[in-house]
Amino acid sequence: MFGLEFSMAKLAHQQWKFRLRQFLDDQEQMSTSDAVSHRDCDFGKWLYTEGLAQYGNTIPDINRLEKVHADMHQAVRNVLEQKNSGNKAQAEEGYKRVLELSGQVISLLDRCMAQAK
């Protein structure tokens, strides 16, 4: 089960980065409601219903993943707010933070996956 969630989370992060980039390039419309809470996205639902219960005591990196995932959602909301307020330069700076956090999420997912085997 974790392997499936791992693959879906990686794909979701890639899709979000692409959508966010399109939004910043004025190729897609988005609002802050598109950036659901870290608990309400598909990965968050799995993490808070099954993931932490199953792996929270055996895979130390999953707890760090929880924090970085929440930080990434906040960074995405910040980008959306800045761009929708007309602050394109600040939105671009925020996008750099999203990319950094997304990379950390992917790295942590890889480590968790390896530890779950």
Side-chain angles (χ1 to χ4, degrees):
M1 180 63 158
F2 188 77
L4 176 62
E5 296 302 331
F6 166 77
S7 297
M8 289 174 52
K10 285 179 88 167
L11 179 61
H13 280 284
Q14 292 167 344
Q15 290 173 336
W16 256 105
K17 287 188 294 187
F18 180 72
R19 281 189 68 205
L20 200 56
R21 182 71 260 164
Q22 286 188 307
F23 169 71
L24 288 170
D25 293 338
D26 298 320
Q27 296 174 354
E28 183 170 340
Q29 294 294 322
M30 295 178 78
S31 70
T32 53
S33 65
D34 292 316
V36 297
S37 111
H38 65 283
R39 291 179 176 269
D40 295 326
C41 70
D42 289 338
F43 179 71
K45 287 176 184 174
W46 172 82
L47 183 64
Y48 288 103
T49 58
E50 299 174 35
L52 289 171
Q54 186 173 358
Y55 298 107
N57 293 326
T58 59
I59 299 177
D61 284 329
I62 203 161
N63 295 303
R64 175 133 171 75
L65 174 60
E66 175 188 18
K67 167 82 170 91
V68 175
H69 178 243
D71 291 348
M72 184 182 154
H73 273 262
Q74 181 58 45
V76 168
R77 277 190 297 281
N78 180 56
V79 169
L80 294 173
E81 289 169 0
Q82 292 297 329
K83 172 78 166 42
N84 285 330
S85 296
N87 300 319
K88 178 131 174 116
Q90 290 90 340
E92 288 290 346
E93 284 300 311
Y95 182 71
K96 292 177 187 175
R97 178 73 176 141
V98 169
L99 293 178
E100 175 188 325
L101 290 167
S102 179
Q104 290 178 32
V105 166
I106 296 300
S107 176
L108 285 164
L109 283 167
D110 286 343
R111 290 181 7 206
C112 288
M113 182 65 179
Q115 293 169 14
K117 290 183 178 181

